[in-house]
Amino acid sequence: MSIDAIAPIGAVQATSPLGTTDEKAVPTGGGTDFGAMVAQGLQRLQSAQDTADNLAVEAATGRLTDVHDYMIAATQAGLATSLAVSVRNRALEAFNEIMRMQA
């Protein structure tokens, strides 16, 4: 599982093999909408949780030969959950701040 970086609309940073970054313009009209990106992120989170759960069952029943696979999957799922909770909390803070603004 990988975590994709969130770039500002209109620019994406691409890292070359030498470690330098290039700014590339991204058309804002034909991109993926925010709702689809959130849904995809939640789907990846659910997939990571399912993988960790399946490996936990295999470890408990003795069918898992490499326990480190379960540990890696469980850590990835935990980190993904923490990231999702942090993003949700930050979004709620931003929403509340917008609602406190005077017209």
Side-chain angles (χ1 to χ4, degrees), residues 4-62:
D4 299 325
I6 298 174
I9 295 175
V12 173
Q13 288 187 349
T15 304
S16 72
L18 298 176
T20 60
T21 58
D22 300 319
E23 292 290 330
K24 296 181 181 178
V26 175
T28 57
T32 305
D33 63 348
F34 181 72
M37 288 174 33
V38 170
Q40 184 182 21
L42 291 175
Q43 187 176 27
R44 286 181 181 175
L45 173 63
Q46 183 63 43
S47 175
Q49 290 288 343
D50 290 342
T51 301
D53 289 345
N54 291 338
L55 289 174
V57 169
E58 287 184 22
T61 58

Side-chain angles (χ1 to χ4, degrees), residues 1 45-46 48-49 74-87:
M1 184 178 109
L45 173 63
Q46 183 63 43
Q49 290 288 343
T75 302
Q76 286 177 339
L79 287 173
T81 302
S82 295
L83 176 65
V85 169
S86 296
V87 169

